[in-house]
Amino acid sequence: MDSLTPTPTHHPEFQAPLDVTDGQHSALIDDTLALLNDGVPSKENEYGLREIDRWTEVLRATEKPGLAKIIQALVTLREQLTDGNSEAHDVAESLATLGAETSKVADEATAGYGPPLAQLGKLLIKMGSTLSR
């Protein structure tokens, strides 16, 4: 390349935010409640890990304030579940934190999401409490 050749420019691909409909939000909450009613996701339960990943991406794409703590709790929980050395107490604490933050969001939720999110928050807190024993 000589000095007269223009420097190639890189144009990153545009990534549109994930657009999730109300029906998809409801289905996601229902799927998560069904999953958690079967017990705490584990490293061996790929469905549980995919559910954590799916929630993380959906919440990042919503761009609503107040979700940063939930996203961080999901990332931490995933790391703990995939790390073979995590203590049950640490996982329990992450579940309880996630439940408390979900309950806060449920209090402010609209479009009928409040009750299912409140149920999800309570279930996460209960799982954390059960796991810490």
Side-chain angles (χ1 to χ4, degrees), residues 9-21:
T9 58
H10 174 70
H11 299 286
E13 290 183 34
F14 174 75
Q15 299 231 346
L18 183 63
D19 188 25
V20 181
T21 66

Side-chain angles (χ1 to χ4, degrees), residues 36-53:
L36 294 177
N37 281 320
D38 289 339
V40 178
S42 65
K43 185 177 180 179
E44 293 78 30
N45 182 346
E46 286 297 316
Y47 177 69
L49 295 177
R50 282 195 311 269
E51 196 71 8
I52 291 170
D53 292 341

Side-chain angles (χ1 to χ4, degrees), residues 59-122:
L59 293 176
R60 280 186 178 140
T62 61
E63 299 176 358
K64 291 183 181 175
L67 299 178
K69 287 182 182 180
I70 293 176
I71 294 168
Q72 183 55 48
L74 286 168
V75 169
T76 300
L77 180 62
R78 189 183 202 302
E79 289 170 357
Q80 290 169 335
L81 292 174
T82 55
D83 177 20
N85 298 323
S86 293
E87 296 290 327
H89 174 74
D90 294 332
V91 174
E93 189 174 307
S94 292
L95 286 169
T97 299
L98 191 54
E101 292 301 320
T102 300
S103 294
K104 286 180 191 176
V105 171
D107 291 341
E108 301 170 7
T110 59
Y113 294 122
L117 283 173
Q119 182 183 1
L120 179 58
K122 287 177 186 177

